[in-house]
Amino acid sequence: MLLCLFAAGVLVLSGLAALVTSGKPRLSVVVGSTGAGVGCVLAIIPAVRTLVLGGTETLRGAWNMPWGSFYLELDGLSAFFLVVICLVSGVASVYGAGYLAAWRGRKALGPVCFFYNVLVASMMTVVLARNGLLFLVAWEVMSLSSFFLVTFESERPGVREAGWTYLVATHLGTAFLLALFALLGQGAGSLDFDNFATFGKSAPHLAGLAFILAVVGFGTKAGFIPLHVWLPEAHPAAPSHVSAVMSGVMIKTGIYGLIRFILFLGPPPMWWGVALVAIGLTSGVLGVLFALAQHDLKRLLAYHSVENIGIITLGLGVGVIGISGGSATIAVLGFAGALLHVLNHALFKGLLFLGTGSVLHATHTGEIDHLGGLLRRMPWTGMTFLVGCVAIVGLPPLNGFVSEFLIYFGAFKGVGTSGPLTVVACLGVIGGLALIGGLAAACFAKAFGIVFLGEPRSVHAQEARESRHLGMLSAMVILAVACVLFGLLGPLTVAGATPAIARAAGLDGATTAAALAPAVTSLSGVILVAGILLIAAGSLLLLRFLLLKGRTVTEAGTWDCGYARPTVRMQYTASSFAQPLTTLFRMFLRTHRTIHMPDELFPKEAAVSTETPDAFRRKVYQPVFRFVLTQLERVRQIQHGHLQLYVLYIAVALLILLLWKMR
Amino acid sequence: MAVESLISVVLALVLAPLFLGVINRVKAIFAGRTGQPLLQTYYDLAKLLRKGAVYSRTTTWVFRAGPTVALAATLAALVVMPLGGTPALVSFPGDLVLFAYLLGLGRFFTVVAALDTGSSFEGMGASREVQFAAVAEPALLLGLAALAVRTHSLSLSGIFAGPAGSVTLQAWIQMGPIVLLVGGAFLIVFLAENARIPVDDPNTHLELTMIHEVMVLDHSGPDFAFIQYGGALKHWVLGALVVGCLLPVHPASALWAPAVSVAEMLTLAVVVGIIESVMARLRLVSVPHLLAGALTLSVVALVLVIY
Amino acid sequence: MNAWTDAIVVLVALTNLALLGSSRLSVCIRVVAIQGIFFGLAAVLLRAEPLTMDLGLVALASVVMKGIVFPALLLRTARNVNIRREVEPFVGFTTSLFIGLGLLGIALWIGSQLPSAANPTGSLVIPLALFTVMVGLFTIASRKKAISQVLGYLTMENGIFAFGVTVVGGIPVLVELGVLMDVFVAVFVMCIATWHISREFDHIDVDQLNALKG
């Protein structure tokens, strides 16, 4: 535990050092990233120790704030999330050292490193905090530091607006959290989580209200639909390694909060689990549908984060259904799938964002339809991006499949053994996961295929070259290897996460391990088949090599049906690739299509462009905000600027106070 | 047990191209032609394996790896699928999810290899393929879920080849409608995944109308042999699903089991040939409706199971 | 009742879904005919008491009318007005299919909530009769062509007939035959009206008939 505090201290100090040496950009970046890396490595040690050996570490200190105390604790759940945070943040900071070099000389790099380190330290504090005030302070620091990171490139159009959207959204969520903490802590004197833990028994009728507050408050950070509108704005605006951390780790703190607080609310009624399943289904399906319609690579990945949060919530829903139904197996399987997907998503989404960063670094554009043919020019980025794509679609034998398999397993068990409402919910989970898997495959075939394969569609893509910076390359390779390893070593990961799963499901270690045993056996079967797959692939490659050894292998142009002058613009674009699916689901997507028809006798130009703005933002939030603004315009009239009337206000207020006290 | 499973896997590996041959022969009979020899696919494979290869200059290692990975994925799916009443080589609870996702792995790499050529034809086929797959996956998984719940087993071997309560001819009396509905859904998914009429015409050579055929347009030589063989194996593997539902005849003695299973598969090949001969290909915008119909059949089966 | 009787009833559910999902009017007409035959036969086969002459007569009349006469009338009308497909309904076909599945779920839930006196055998006929009525109403609300409206009306009638025969039991022959006669007259008149509408306006889209308002 002290090691964690020390790590946080290292992070903050190195951030300050980076800020101070901002004049020498190279030095400040090195100091900042090294500090971040060292801090993460230091913090991971106690986390892994807790996961492997079990047990809990506590640190308690006094703090001079009302209702506040400096109370930190490292139990299984916190340790798991700490591992996720440190792993991805550490790797991303190594990447950032190289990535930020592009701005050397143009912008001050010290603040970026400072805020990055503060972000990581605050995230660590969030998962360790056991006092409401400490939690909220760390939460707020997390939001503010990420706000400054998002608006790093504030000279770019849209970045400032993205930053404002993010700030407003996160504070709206925090408002709900304040209400939640007030509700939970109203009986006790302090906001310690220990006092919250008895809330479920003392005030069961308020538990439903608390649940809704927790879902909205933490859901805003996590990115549930319809609370997700800040995600597609903020994540693309931030620098890529920050996007990786925000998307891979920061939104998971919302999931952490949700799990922790559901534990406090006592035995959950059935409708909580069903509500979580419904939220998970909407977020998953709508997230991937919106992702399909995007043509900016980072926005596509941001919507995919919404989808994966949906999958995690499906797992959480299955887990809560299991707890309320009294079935340890279903509960454990659901939470196992959700927690493992937290880890896996952090890994492959981080990898994908880092790869996108390399693409942006090399081509200076994130527009998918302007890229192409990058696999030849940036082989390492392309290969790791492909690994990330295969992992995120959930294909065996990589890690995405392991967590989705666990959720499926839990849902199947739920269908076989429970009452009608749970059965319908679990069937929704199965059908929803299947649909999400198919749509995600389409989306990532599009993302990888159009960006990395084929011919370059613009000059930017043609002149792209792989970055020479070792940090950027090694970060991506490390994450890709982690994806493969966590996939092939599925049972080990599940065993390692058992303390966290036990804590989340509210059971003890032995029961959890026993409930997980059939799933672990099945995972071993999965690995066996994965092994057969790899052996088959290997032998087929060998066969192909032997067959082609003595034969003529030539190169020619792609078959173009005899067309005399094919151009690279005749390749399939991202929008055309996704068009069958976006047309099929047009009711949800509401894509705007601008068509410029050729209109003269000898037509010169024609253009088609599609734009899919976020439906929730347009239909739900903007009208509400516009209404609030018009109402507030009326209140604005108090501030009219006349000095005499201000003096009159003061006089009237004093007169009223005098009369009141005289009574 | 393992010996019988091994025998059925070997039979599948050897006889899969014959499946295609039977379909083509049935279509030829309907059309009044003599048609290709039954073993034509074998001759084609032998010819392709003898050839060299031509690769497009645009393609990368992904294009060269695509057919290999797709065939390896289908082989792995074959290992999990019980054929003709004998349990699969590898079976464990939950392997039906692995089965569906292994097919998805093969499809993903085929699509990505198609996009590697930078040609609009392959892009066209790839985009249609992913659309159909996105709508067919829920139908497949929900149908498997219905069977899994009814037979109380989460393993494909448990559903189709298990000792009691699994899909056998005797069990049909209890669960007839469910198995028929799910079998119908699986048949539609079979036709969609294997590019048969009414979803796609395997004989068309107009790029604008192809789906599967156009995705593999630029492959040649051993790669194309892998693709053809992989396609035949996929027919066999998905056909085993359909046959397991609709024709679950399991002879009592283990000696006859392989022969009976091969006969069942070839019956399915004849049925598919008949379907291909009497139906016309659907318009591309109607194929999602057909797959939604398959999804409906799965859901109705599920509703029956739960009620 | 064993699974096979319920299977026939399930086939009826499939006919409802086929009505919702297909755009070809000839297919829809034939599907409704099959549904009428099935419900007529089920009314006879699923009775607990032995078969009486009255009930047999009613069943025969309803099977003949719904299975032969009505489809013939409707197919002839469709041929005369030269309409083959429902081209642009208010609710698309795939969406209708999914709404149909939802209605099936609702009907099954209502069926499970009914008191057991209403459904002593616990069979699926009552929920599926409810489902048929709901599908008929939905078809009337979501389709534009006049013939689809007639088909929706016939489906509703099928559902009500099935519900009545299973729950109530012995409906007097005269009442049943009277109802059948009314339905026959209604369908006949609707076909004539459709033909006239088509002759006058060149289409039979019911939603455009509100243009007749002054």
Side-chain angles (χ1 to χ4, degrees):
Chain A
M1 175 55 80
L2 281 174
L3 208 51
C4 290
L5 278 180
F6 186 57
V10 164
L11 279 166
V12 175
L13 282 174
S14 58
L16 281 170
L19 194 58
V20 160
T21 58
S22 202
K24 302 191 187 60
R26 230 182 266 263
L27 180 63
S28 83
V29 166
V30 165
V31 166
S33 336
T34 325
V38 167
C40 290
V41 166
L42 282 178
I44 242 186
I45 298 174
V48 172
R49 196 172 57 212
T50 313
L51 282 180
V52 169
L53 297 175
T56 318
E57 297 178 42
T58 319
L59 181 76
R60 234 191 158 121
W63 195 18
N64 254 334
M65 302 282 283
W67 299 304
S69 74
F70 199 75
Y71 182 12
L72 299 175
E73 194 188 41
L74 182 64
D75 67 355
L77 192 61
S78 303
F80 187 79
F81 277 90
L82 198 57
V83 167
V84 174
I85 293 174
C86 297
L87 201 51
V88 177
S89 312
V91 173
S93 70
V94 173
Y95 182 88
Y99 185 73
L100 290 172
W103 281 280
R104 209 182 292 152
R106 281 194 289 139
K107 282 175 97 60
L109 296 178
V112 178
C113 299
F114 171 65
F115 283 119
Y116 183 85
N117 289 12
V118 167
L119 175 66
V120 179
S122 61
M123 284 196 287
M124 282 194 215
T125 320
V126 163
V127 299
L128 290 174
R130 291 290 184 271
N131 172 275
L133 196 62
L134 184 60
F135 187 89
L136 278 176
V137 167
W139 191 264
E140 194 56 30
V141 171
M142 187 172 77
S143 311
L144 281 177
S145 48
S146 47
F147 167 72
F148 284 113
L149 287 170
V150 164
T151 51
F152 170 58
E153 286 184 273
S154 48
E155 70 276 1
R156 264 204 307 157
V159 169
R160 258 180 290 191
E161 194 185 317
W164 282 128
T165 313
Y166 174 51
L167 201 60
V168 168
T170 188
H171 281 111
L172 279 177
T174 316
F176 278 88
L177 285 184
L178 274 172
L180 174 68
F181 283 15
L183 182 64
L184 286 178
Q186 65 184 3
S190 83
L191 287 174
D192 280 350
F193 283 12
D194 293 338
N195 300 58
F196 289 177
T198 57
F199 181 79
K201 299 184 199 62
S202 56
H205 50 282
L206 287 174
L209 179 62
F211 174 72
I212 295 178
L213 285 174
V215 164
V216 175
F218 288 115
T220 316
K221 179 64 74 180
F224 295 162
I225 285 192
L227 306 163
H228 67 289
V229 288
W230 59 274
L231 249 168
E233 311 288 332
H235 287 198
S240 303
H241 66 298
V242 173
S243 303
V245 168
M246 281 175 72
S247 208
V249 181
M250 197 181 75
I251 56 182
K252 307 300 174 16
T253 53
I255 299 286
Y256 164 79
L258 193 58
I259 298 180
R260 179 73 64 188
F261 275 80
I262 288 184
L263 278 176
F264 295 152
L265 298 177
M270 186 62 74
W271 69 267
W272 289 8
V274 177
L276 283 175
V277 166
I279 294 174
L281 267 180
T282 10
S283 306
V285 176
L286 284 178
V288 73
L289 280 179
F290 277 112
L292 260 174
Q294 302 303 319
H295 41 77
D296 177 75
L297 196 50
K298 275 187 149 180
R299 237 178 120 90
L300 183 143
L301 290 175
Y303 272 112
H304 263 286
S305 297
V306 173
E307 169 221 329
N308 278 290
I309 288 286
I311 297 180
I312 296 174
T313 321
L314 281 177
L316 284 183
V318 171
V320 171
I321 285 178
I323 297 183
S324 50
S327 161
T329 323
I330 302 176
V332 162
L333 284 170
F335 280 115
L339 285 174
L340 245 67
H341 206 75
V342 164
L343 173 64
N344 292 336
H345 178 244
L347 289 175
F348 47 68
K349 188 46 71 69
L351 172 60
L352 287 172
F353 263 112
L354 295 185
T356 313
S358 297
V359 169
L360 273 170
H361 191 84
T363 64
H364 308 291
T365 173
E367 179 77 30
I368 299 182
D369 287 328
H370 291 175
L371 300 170
L374 290 179
L375 187 58
R376 275 176 187 265
R377 292 159 176 79
M378 306 172 68
W380 288 102
T381 311
M383 186 143 50
T384 50
F385 200 90
L386 180 61
V387 171
C389 285
V390 175
I392 200 171
V393 176
L395 298 174
L398 296 183
N399 55 357
F401 180 71
V402 173
S403 40
E404 287 195 20
F405 181 81
L406 286 171
I407 301 180
Y408 268 116
F409 208 77
F412 270 109
K413 287 262 185 251
V415 177
T417 54
S418 331
L421 191 59
T422 24
V423 165
V424 171
C426 290
L427 284 175
V429 169
I430 298 175
L433 273 178
L435 182 62
I436 293 172
L439 291 172
C443 194
F444 277 98
K446 164 184 126 176
F448 181 70
I450 310 284
V451 170
F452 285 95
L453 304 176
E455 292 286 341
R457 290 175 179 76
S458 70
V459 168
H460 301 289
Q462 212 159 6
E463 297 176 350
R465 291 290 169 268
E466 183 88 74
S467 154
R468 299 276 180 74
H469 196 273
L470 203 58
M472 286 170 73
L473 290 178
S474 58
M476 293 193 288
V477 169
I478 291 176
L479 284 178
V481 168
C483 284
V484 174
L485 277 182
F486 279 110
L488 290 177
L489 299 174
L492 276 183
T493 329
V494 172
T498 313
I501 303 170
R503 193 79 185 84
L507 301 163
D508 64 270
T511 329
T512 319
L516 278 175
V520 171
T521 329
S522 298
L523 279 176
S524 323
V526 169
I527 295 177
L528 179 60
V529 176
I532 296 179
L533 173 71
L534 290 171
I535 295 176
S539 21
L540 284 172
L541 274 174
L542 185 64
L543 176 67
R544 186 176 158 276
F545 174 71
L546 291 173
L547 281 173
L548 284 177
K549 208 151 66 129
R551 315 254 173 85
T552 23
V553 177
T554 52
E555 289 213 329
T558 307
W559 170 245
D560 50 13
C561 206
Y563 192 68
R565 308 241 286 180
T567 70
V568 295
R569 293 297 302 267
M570 288 180 186
Q571 291 176 97
Y572 242 54
T573 60
S575 327
S576 33
F577 187 84
Q579 185 261 347
L581 278 167
T582 50
T583 320
L584 192 58
F585 290 103
R586 59 185 172 280
M587 197 167 34
F588 302 108
L589 288 174
R590 314 241 176 228
T591 309
H592 289 312
R593 194 171 292 188
T594 337
I595 305 187
H596 192 70
M597 295 291 283
D599 55 359
E600 301 133 22
L601 277 177
F602 293 95
K604 298 228 179 52
E605 257 190 13
V608 173
S609 74
T610 56
E611 174 78 42
T612 314
D614 194 287
F616 288 93
R617 194 183 166 144
R618 228 165 10 107
K619 291 265 163 58
V620 174
Y621 287 97
Q622 271 174 356
V624 168
F625 286 158
R626 220 173 289 136
F627 173 74
V628 170
L629 268 176
T630 42
Q631 297 308 312
L632 289 178
E633 286 287 321
R634 299 200 196 140
V635 180
R636 262 261 216 124
Q637 290 171 5
I638 305 180
Q639 285 187 314
H640 37 62
H642 292 297
L643 207 53
Q644 290 93 323
L645 279 174
Y646 288 162
V647 174
L648 187 60
Y649 287 163
I650 298 175
V652 167
L654 283 174
L655 192 61
I656 292 176
L657 281 172
L658 195 62
L659 288 175
W660 186 28
K661 275 299 161 187
M662 284 295 182
R663 250 179 342 107
Chain B
M1 264 300 123
V3 178
E4 278 131 13
S5 313
L6 201 56
I7 293 178
S8 31
V9 166
V10 167
L11 273 179
L13 290 174
V14 168
L15 291 178
L18 185 61
F19 195 93
L20 295 181
V22 170
I23 297 181
N24 287 328
R25 178 54 68 92
V26 171
K27 282 163 73 170
I29 294 176
F30 264 83
R33 300 182 273 125
T34 316
Q36 313 159 324
L38 270 177
L39 303 178
Q40 181 61 40
T41 322
Y42 294 97
Y43 303 149
D44 286 339
L45 286 174
K47 171 187 79 171
L48 285 167
L49 286 172
R50 277 201 300 265
K51 290 195 168 197
V54 177
Y55 290 107
S56 155
R57 268 176 230 114
T58 317
T59 57
T60 61
W61 59 268
V62 171
F63 185 75
R64 289 151 177 80
T68 315
V69 174
L71 181 56
T74 319
L75 283 171
L78 182 64
V79 164
V80 187
M81 185 72 204
L83 305 163
T86 39
L89 267 184
V90 177
S91 78
F92 52 87
D95 61 13
L96 28 81
V97 175
L98 181 62
F99 178 75
Y101 275 75
L102 277 172
L103 293 178
L105 177 69
R107 189 186 313 123
F108 183 79
F109 271 91
T110 315
V111 165
V112 161
L115 284 172
D116 199 10
T117 58
S119 154
S120 23
F121 300 122
E122 272 94 339
M124 223 184 283
S127 98
R128 291 163 186 170
E129 172 73 10
V130 293
Q131 181 203 23
F132 298 160
V135 189
E137 284 268 317
L140 181 65
L141 271 168
L142 284 177
L144 285 172
L147 287 178
V149 174
R150 192 64 181 81
T151 57
H152 302 291
S153 159
L154 283 181
S155 159
L156 283 171
S157 302
I159 295 176
F160 290 113
S166 61
V167 182
T168 57
L169 214 48
Q170 295 86 357
W172 256 47
I173 300 178
Q174 269 97 35
M175 44 171 148
I178 299 169
V179 175
L180 270 176
L181 286 170
V182 172
F186 285 166
L187 184 61
I188 298 178
V189 170
F190 174 89
L191 292 173
E193 290 277 326
N194 289 312
R196 292 277 138 201
I197 294 180
V199 174
D200 179 19
D201 188 353
N203 288 338
T204 178
H205 294 293
L206 292 170
E207 288 93 351
L208 283 173
T209 58
M210 293 195 238
I211 304 171
H212 269 87
E213 285 299 311
V214 77
M215 278 203 291
V216 299
L217 202 56
D218 270 83
H219 289 281
S220 53
D223 286 331
F224 197 47
F226 286 174
I227 290 177
Q228 297 274 60
Y229 185 62
L233 263 187
K234 207 165 151 188
H235 276 81
W236 194 274
V237 164
L238 282 172
L241 256 185
V242 179
V243 157
C245 282
L246 296 177
L247 275 180
V249 179
H250 304 149
S253 89
L255 209 60
W256 283 107
V260 169
S261 69
V262 169
E264 288 169 1
M265 295 296 292
L266 294 180
T267 320
L268 178 66
V270 169
V271 168
V272 170
I274 296 177
I275 295 179
E276 288 223 305
S277 308
V278 304
M279 285 191 75
R281 190 196 148 140
L282 282 177
R283 285 173 58 204
L284 278 175
V285 297
S286 310
V287 175
H289 296 169
L290 178 67
L291 290 168
L295 182 59
T296 318
L297 288 176
S298 294
V299 172
V300 174
L302 266 173
V303 160
L304 274 185
V305 167
I306 305 170
Y307 191 68
Chain C
M1 288 297 133
N2 67 3
W4 280 105
T5 336
D6 277 348
I8 300 181
V9 178
V10 163
L11 278 170
V12 170
L14 285 180
T15 56
N16 283 324
L17 291 169
L19 175 65
L20 285 176
S22 45
S23 61
R24 301 224 306 259
L25 282 177
S26 58
V27 169
C28 290
I29 293 171
R30 291 202 175 93
V31 152
V32 173
I34 294 175
Q35 197 179 69
I37 297 176
F38 265 130
F39 270 133
L41 287 178
V44 166
L45 292 175
L46 293 180
R47 305 215 25 91
E49 302 101 47
L51 193 60
T52 64
M53 182 70 157
D54 299 342
L55 192 59
L57 187 61
V58 163
L60 183 66
S62 95
V63 164
V64 164
M65 292 288 253
K66 293 183 190 165
I68 303 177
V69 177
F70 291 157
L73 273 176
L74 285 169
L75 282 171
R76 212 185 64 170
T77 314
R79 209 169 38 238
N80 285 346
V81 305
N82 212 9
I83 298 281
R84 278 200 214 95
R85 283 180 180 266
E86 171 88 43
V87 179
E88 266 189 4
F90 285 120
V91 182
F93 292 107
T94 321
T95 321
S96 306
L97 210 51
F98 289 135
I99 293 181
L101 284 174
L103 289 177
L104 180 62
I106 295 175
L108 282 172
W109 183 75
I110 295 179
S112 71
Q113 303 291 62
L114 285 177
S116 57
N119 194 3
T121 57
S123 76
L124 286 172
V125 181
I126 305 262
L128 281 160
L130 282 169
F131 176 53
T132 315
V133 173
M134 285 195 247
V135 165
L137 279 169
F138 181 74
T139 312
I140 296 180
S142 68
R143 300 291 155 97
K144 286 188 188 169
K145 297 274 184 277
I147 294 189
S148 306
Q149 312 276 311
V150 179
L151 288 174
Y153 169 71
L154 279 176
T155 314
M156 265 178 65
E157 209 279 327
N158 280 340
I160 297 173
F161 171 77
F163 193 78
V165 165
T166 346
V167 171
V168 175
I171 306 183
V173 180
L174 211 55
V175 171
E176 259 315 308
L177 286 178
V179 167
L180 262 180
M181 187 59 150
D182 285 334
V183 175
F184 172 71
V185 169
V187 172
F188 198 66
V189 168
M190 282 194 258
C191 287
I192 297 178
T194 308
W195 186 69
H196 278 287
I197 294 172
S198 137
R199 219 168 60 142
E200 190 63 37
F201 293 104
D202 269 332
H203 66 77
I204 54 168
D205 284 354
V206 174
D207 71 318
Q208 294 192 27
L209 286 181
N210 61 6
L212 288 172
K213 281 194 298 197

